[in-house]
Amino acid sequence: MALPQEDARPLRQQVFEQVRANGQMPRMDVARALNISPGSVTTITSDLIARGLLQEVEDSQRGPSRGRPPIALRVAPLSRFVVGMKLSDERHTAVLLDLAGNIVAGAHQTSGALRQSNEEILADVNTLMGKLLQKAGRAPDDISAVGIGLPGLVDACTGVVRWSPVMTETDTPLRDQLAAMLGLPVSLDNDTNLLTLAELWFGAGRGISNFAVVTIERGVGMGLVLNNRLFRGALGPGMELGHTKVQLDGALCRCGQRGCLEAYVADYALIREAGTALDRDPRIDSSAVTMIETLYQEANAGNEAALAIFSRAGRFLSVGLANIVQLFDPERIILSGERMRYAYMTADDMLAEMNSMILPAGRTPTPVDIHAWSGSVWAKGAAALALSELTDTLLGDGAT
């Protein structure tokens, strides 16, 4: 259960976000959810309707009734639009969302290299933005905000990328560079934080106060929600589960250190082991995805070496998940990403081993959800960041 915590957001923002989170909601339900008077809700929602942010609709969630149809509130979707982008070492992805969080259009751009310079990143983002707007039939002036996520150490407060595996430079003020190029407000964050926002706004985290999201792709990431808010830590980058140590002087990680969880679980770790299991040089494959798919097919066919690679990765993952439970006691852990299709990584044996390493203390096992989502969800999380920042601007303390 979440600890009591005073909500510092203005009441009009709480009302708006309550409606947004539920899709549509009658005024009386808003009043009950926020423990405020129906009169206050009527005054606030009338103002939000006048500003074009909310609209009245027939309450489709209630059955037929005599007389006047029941009325609910929903976000006016076409009042604002935001863009979300996910930058990676293979493909950059973008989505256009309306204010209600509906995807209007999507686009992608192949990355020019595994690691790109500032100039190359800026050029790719500019090209991708053009593709997205053309596909959606929208002009740059239609966009209110942009959210962008990428892997690595990203200071969400300052917009500085301290280090990223997809960039050649370090300590880059990427947010300000992007904002100057696009002429739009830009928010920047670690991509796993943004995937966590997607779960909080649109996915399995909706309605849960405290949960963790773990991603396994080219790296291993973690996002944490405490008391319904994304937790980024004291310095802003957030959780780096992939770089917690699981074996002293162990396998080499791409960060340059040894023994990181990522060095046993991430794509490149599996590919490194696949070279031995499949008796081939992994560098001859043009795509990491191709190599992993081949390894998975071999495991399904009974190749013992391939099975052992996935089994070992699952055991190391169980250590990481057990540590999350011991440290944060989340209501739920969500394993998210395309690699979740590989059942050997998330089998019952792995979950049983995770629970065996947790002090019981009268607890029931922490639920673990598995979401094998496609790449567009990362961009949708980035758009959720843009929506969140836009909401603060429109309805926060400094708004008029």
Side-chain angles (χ1 to χ4, degrees):
M1 180 179 294
L3 294 174
Q5 179 173 318
E6 182 179 353
D7 197 330
R9 294 171 299 167
L11 193 53
R12 62 183 174 181
Q13 186 172 353
Q14 294 181 51
V15 168
F16 177 84
E17 293 186 356
Q18 187 72 34
V19 173
R20 179 204 56 75
N22 285 274
Q24 66 177 43
M25 206 172 185
R27 288 177 173 84
M28 287 301 298
D29 289 355
V30 175
R32 281 192 288 268
L34 297 178
N35 195 27
I36 58 178
S37 71
S40 295
V41 172
T42 297
T43 301
I44 290 170
T45 56
S46 295
D47 174 63
L48 294 175
I49 290 171
R51 297 172 64 176
L53 300 177
L54 292 182
Q55 59 187 203
E56 291 183 327
V57 294
E58 186 173 334
D59 190 355
S60 61
Q61 297 177 359
R62 298 185 187 271
S65 61
R66 295 181 179 179
R68 184 180 178 185
I71 298 299
L73 299 166
R74 74 171 186 181
V75 171
L78 303 183
S79 59
R80 302 288 191 285
F81 296 93
V82 300
V83 169
M85 291 188 185
K86 149 80 173 187
L87 307 181
S88 74
D89 54 7
E90 290 189 345
R91 188 171 77 163
H92 308 316
T93 309
V95 293
L96 178 70
L97 263 61
D98 63 25
L99 190 60
N102 302 308
I103 293 181
V104 177
H108 66 268
Q109 166 83 10
T110 301
S111 174
L114 292 179
R115 302 185 70 191
Q116 294 183 284
S117 67
N118 284 18
E119 291 75 16
E120 290 169 329
I121 288 284
L122 292 171
D124 275 2
V125 168
N126 197 41
T127 299
L128 183 56
M129 177 67 84
K131 286 183 178 180
L132 182 66
L133 293 179
Q134 183 179 23
K135 192 169 182 180
R138 293 284 172 180
D141 290 345
D142 294 331
I143 309 303
S144 296
V146 178
I148 295 179
L150 70 164
L153 300 176
V154 182
D155 189 328
C157 295
T158 64
V160 173
V161 180
R162 301 300 179 189
W163 169 84
S164 173
V166 304
M167 296 184 66
T168 55
E169 291 94 343
T170 58
D171 296 317
T172 304
L174 186 61
R175 182 192 64 191
D176 292 347
Q177 294 174 353
L178 290 166
M181 179 188 71
L182 297 174
L184 291 166
V186 173
S187 302
L188 195 71
D189 205 342
N190 170 271
D191 55 356
T192 305
N193 280 344
L194 301 186
L195 187 65
T196 304
L197 271 182
E199 291 285 7
L200 176 63
W201 280 53
F202 314 113
R206 206 169 187 176
I208 301 177
S209 299
N210 301 281
F211 66 90
V213 172
V214 175
T215 64
I216 304 173
E217 300 278 346
R218 295 286 290 174
V220 176
M222 175 181 165
L224 184 66
V225 169
L226 299 177
N227 292 306
N228 300 299
R229 294 297 185 92
L230 184 65
F231 178 74
R232 292 188 175 95
L235 301 179
M239 310 290 99
E240 283 294 338
L241 179 68
H243 299 290
T244 58
K245 303 302 181 281
V246 294
Q247 186 166 323
L248 293 177
D249 301 320
L252 182 65
C253 178
R254 63 177 175 173
C255 73
Q257 298 186 15
R258 290 186 175 274
C260 297
L261 175 63
E262 184 175 294
Y264 296 93
V265 175
D267 283 7
Y268 67 86
L270 298 181
I271 291 170
R272 185 163 55 196
E273 295 298 317
T276 301
L278 304 178
D279 192 26
R280 71 181 69 170
D281 185 348
R283 293 172 297 181
I284 66 174
D285 284 88
S286 59
S287 169
V289 173
T290 300
M291 192 69 173
I292 296 239
E293 289 293 340
T294 302
L295 183 67
Y296 185 52
Q297 291 166 10
E298 290 286 332
N300 278 333
N303 183 314
E304 292 187 3
L307 283 167
I309 290 173
F310 282 108
S311 176
R312 186 179 79 151
R315 294 194 67 193
F316 276 108
L317 178 59
S318 70
V319 174
L321 299 184
N323 288 338
I324 292 173
V325 175
Q326 294 290 186
L327 288 170
F328 301 109
D329 189 26
E331 296 173 59
R332 187 178 305 272
I333 295 175
I334 302 168
L335 301 181
S336 191
E338 292 184 89
R339 300 300 169 261
M340 294 305 113
R341 295 182 294 108
Y342 302 139
Y344 301 106
M345 299 268 295
T346 55
D348 291 342
D349 288 346
M350 186 279 290
L351 298 177
E353 187 156 3
M354 175 195 89
N355 286 313
S356 74
M357 290 183 277
I358 298 169
L359 292 175
R363 73 164 72 237
T364 57
T366 300
V368 177
D369 286 351
I370 298 171
H371 283 187
W373 281 3
S374 65
S376 64
V377 71
W378 297 81
K380 193 171 183 181
L385 175 65
L387 284 173
S388 179
E389 296 288 342
L390 177 60
T391 303
D392 286 345
T393 301
L394 293 173
L395 302 172
D397 287 325
T400 57

